[in-house]
């Protein structure tokens, strides 16, 4: 049998993984959510971009210091031991597979504008997409990387189109292009809520650190793609969000199931709107592919690190964690089916908020791990403190309901940890 190369990911594929995981459903759906917030939404974006860049700096330095598989889990375990490592790995894994259900719904939401029948059974359509991509990732990390690269290139097309159209409208009409929206009072609570929501668009900032053992020259590549990818993504988000926030009536944006398509369609015709909806589906599809790769890699790294059942660490003939992918797929399926009665917008918002709440521990612990592992790096210490404060602020912004659901999902991992500890401590028979 041909030996499978474990170092299957290079610089450009990793950059596509980082940017492709971040630029997914958020940039297409969040303008509608943020429209009623007025300037609070734009300030939220700016705060989130700053926080994401601090986190990117943290992951870049940690990725250079510890170029090993596992990302947040590996860094936390190295800094604070296996108990903390398990808690972070569990929270991050929950974030991924629960969030994947929301991303899949976003794919279906965009496609339903072209094929309305999909909107009648969004959960089932989402599951068909999820399991198709699980099959791709089981087939091999190289194939998953190629899918990520192609979808990354395609998803930029409508976003560049939005930015170009906004510039053209401003050059043509000047201040007359700016929509007359009613003023919205600026408040700390509204900004915190906006920042918590907009961070959904930056999930994946750590993506290159998770499959580090499959990356060529990981100590060099991981830091570069993490910083470059986050900075470019933040620039795209800011320009696209500003275009829809200032050049479209807020009421129209808030009521639209596809605000980016709406923006393009208003100037370029309904056919353009349908095309933009297709690209929105491709964008979310690419992000889903990248996060499905991670939902298999995280439990594999946990198992190989001794804090998860060893069964999850077994790899198939092509070097992929088949068992971890299948179990993660079943969990995503349960999340989607347990909420099948919700509408697409409500389903997306609920799952996204809960997955964010569950996963915040991973980001907080990574920031604290950086201070512990690299105590003499003053710029990193400053960035880590800002990142930790930002994460805590986002927890507040997500609200009590989402935080309680996230806490419940974290507590659900306790029996698994105790079982693994007991089984490893028990003498061999």
């Amino acid at each position: 049998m041909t030996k499978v190369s474990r170092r299957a990911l290079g610089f450009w594929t990793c950059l596509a993984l980082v940017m492709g995981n971040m630029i997914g459903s958020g940039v297409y759906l969040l303008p509608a959510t943020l429209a009623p917030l007025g300037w609070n939404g734009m300030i939220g974006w700016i705060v989130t971009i700053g926080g994401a860049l601090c986190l990117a700096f943290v992951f870049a330095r940690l990725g250079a210091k510890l170029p090993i598989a596992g990302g947040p889990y590996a860094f936390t375990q190295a800094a604070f031991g296996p108990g903390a490592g398990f808690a972070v790995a569990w929270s991050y894994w929950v974030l991924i597979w629960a969030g994947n259900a929301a991303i899949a719904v976003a794919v279906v939401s965009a496609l339903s504008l072209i094929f309305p029948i999909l909107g009648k059974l969004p959960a089932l359509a989402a599951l068909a997409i999820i399991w198709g991509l699980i099959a791709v990732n089981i087939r091999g990390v190289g194939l998953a990387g190629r899918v990520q690269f192609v979808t990354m290139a395609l998803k930029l097309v409508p976003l560049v189109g939005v930015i170009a159209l906004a510039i053209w409208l401003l050059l043509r009409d000047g201040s007359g292009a700016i929509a007359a929206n009613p003023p919205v009072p600026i408040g700390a609570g509204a900004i915190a809520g906006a920042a918590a929501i907009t961070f959904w668009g930056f999930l994946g900032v750590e993506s290159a650190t998770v499959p580090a053992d499959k990356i060529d020259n990981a100590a060099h590549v991981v830091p570069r793609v993490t910083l470059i990818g986050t900075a470019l993504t933040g620039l795209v988000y800011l320009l696209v969000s500003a275009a829809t926030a200032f050049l479209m009536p807020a009421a129209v944006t808030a009521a639209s199931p596809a605000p980016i398509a709406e923006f393009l369609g208003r100037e370029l015709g309904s056919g353009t709107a349908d095309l933009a909806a297709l690209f929105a589906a491709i964008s979310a599809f690419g992000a889903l592919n990248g996060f499905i790769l991670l939902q298999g890699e995280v439990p594999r790294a946990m198992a190989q690190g001794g804090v998860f059942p060893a069964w999850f660490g077994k790899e198939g003939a092509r070097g992929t964690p088949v068992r971890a992918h299948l179990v993660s797929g079943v969990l995503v399926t349960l999340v989607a089916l347990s909420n099948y009665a919700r509408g697409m917008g409500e389903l997306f918002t609920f799952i996204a908020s809960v997955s964010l709440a569950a996963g915040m521990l991973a980001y907080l612990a990574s920031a604290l791990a950086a201070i512990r592992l690299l105590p003499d790096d003053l710029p990193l210490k400053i960035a880590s403190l800002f990142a930790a404060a930002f994460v805590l602020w986002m927890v507040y912004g997500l609200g009590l309901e989402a935080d309680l659901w996230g806490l419940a999902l974290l507590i659900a991992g306790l029996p698994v940890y105790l079982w693994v500890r007991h089984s490893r401590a028990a003498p061999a028979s």
Side-chain angles (χ1 to χ4, degrees):
M1 184 182 349
T2 304
K3 182 177 176 60
V4 178
S5 173
R6 292 182 58 82
R7 303 284 177 173
L9 303 175
F11 174 85
W12 292 107
T13 305
C14 285
L15 183 61
L17 177 65
V18 173
M19 292 187 68
N21 279 8
M22 288 191 285
I23 302 178
S25 57
V27 70
Y28 287 93
L29 296 177
L30 288 176
T33 305
L34 297 173
L37 299 178
W39 269 101
N40 294 290
M42 288 305 302
I43 297 172
W45 270 119
I46 294 170
V47 171
T48 300
I49 291 170
L53 287 172
C54 287
L55 282 170
F57 188 71
V58 168
F59 285 117
R61 290 295 179 92
L62 288 172
K65 177 71 174 179
L66 295 172
I68 56 177
Y73 150 68
F75 305 143
T76 304
Q77 177 152 302
F80 304 115
F86 173 85
V88 164
W90 181 268
S91 74
Y92 186 61
W93 188 41
V94 170
L95 166 68
I96 294 170
W97 55 255
N100 280 347
I103 299 173
V105 169
V107 178
V108 176
S109 179
L111 288 177
S112 67
L113 297 175
I114 307 171
F115 309 105
I117 191 173
L118 294 177
K120 297 180 179 179
L121 295 170
L124 295 180
L127 289 176
I129 295 168
I130 288 169
W131 282 100
L133 285 175
I134 288 175
V136 167
N137 279 268
I138 288 176
R139 179 70 173 75
V141 68
L143 176 60
R146 289 190 292 274
V147 170
Q148 192 73 356
F149 188 83
V150 171
T151 55
M152 180 61 226
L154 290 174
K155 71 175 62 179
L156 288 177
V157 173
L159 302 181
V160 171
V162 168
I163 296 169
L165 178 58
I167 293 172
W168 180 75
L169 289 173
L170 290 171
L171 290 176
R172 186 191 69 180
D173 302 331
S175 60
I178 299 176
N181 289 314
V184 178
I186 295 176
I191 294 172
I197 295 170
T198 52
F199 189 69
W200 174 261
F202 284 96
L203 291 183
V205 62
E206 73 296 329
S207 293
T209 67
V210 178
D213 61 334
K214 294 181 171 64
I215 297 174
D216 285 319
N217 194 13
H220 180 66
V221 169
V222 169
R224 291 177 64 200
V225 299
T226 299
L227 288 171
I228 293 172
T230 305
L232 290 176
T233 298
L235 179 62
V236 169
Y237 281 166
L238 194 60
L239 293 176
V240 170
S241 299
T244 56
F246 297 129
L247 303 183
M248 277 181 66
V252 174
T253 305
S256 175
I260 298 299
E262 181 85 26
F263 179 78
L264 293 172
R266 285 166 65 88
E267 293 293 330
L268 304 177
S270 59
T272 305
D274 289 342
L275 187 60
L278 177 60
F279 276 107
I282 293 172
S283 179
F285 182 86
L288 182 61
N289 174 68
F291 277 112
I292 283 178
L293 185 152
L294 300 187
Q295 80 176 18
E297 292 294 330
V298 170
R300 177 188 68 85
M302 292 169 69
Q304 294 180 349
V307 297
F308 215 49
W311 184 86
F312 284 86
K314 302 296 183 182
E315 296 182 341
R318 296 183 176 275
T320 57
V322 178
R323 296 174 176 180
H325 274 304
L326 294 176
V327 173
S328 298
V330 170
L331 292 171
V332 178
T333 299
L334 293 175
V335 170
L337 292 181
S338 64
N339 292 276
Y340 77 95
R342 297 176 183 260
M344 278 188 291
E346 186 184 3
L347 181 61
F348 173 83
T349 302
F350 175 77
I351 296 177
S353 297
V354 171
S355 65
L356 275 171
M360 286 301 100
L361 178 62
Y363 292 106
L364 177 63
S366 295
L368 299 178
I371 297 174
R372 179 75 176 269
L373 295 173
L374 300 170
D376 298 327
D377 191 331
L378 182 59
L380 176 61
K381 185 176 293 186
I382 295 172
S384 298
L385 291 173
F386 272 108
F390 172 70
V391 171
L392 292 174
W393 193 47
M394 283 191 298
V395 172
Y396 160 73
L398 283 168
L400 183 60
E401 181 184 10
D403 289 335
L404 289 177
W405 273 101
L407 180 62
L409 288 171
L410 289 177
I411 293 174
L414 183 60
V416 179
Y417 177 66
L418 294 176
W419 172 51
V420 172
R421 281 195 61 182
H422 175 75
S423 62
R424 290 183 179 274
S429 56

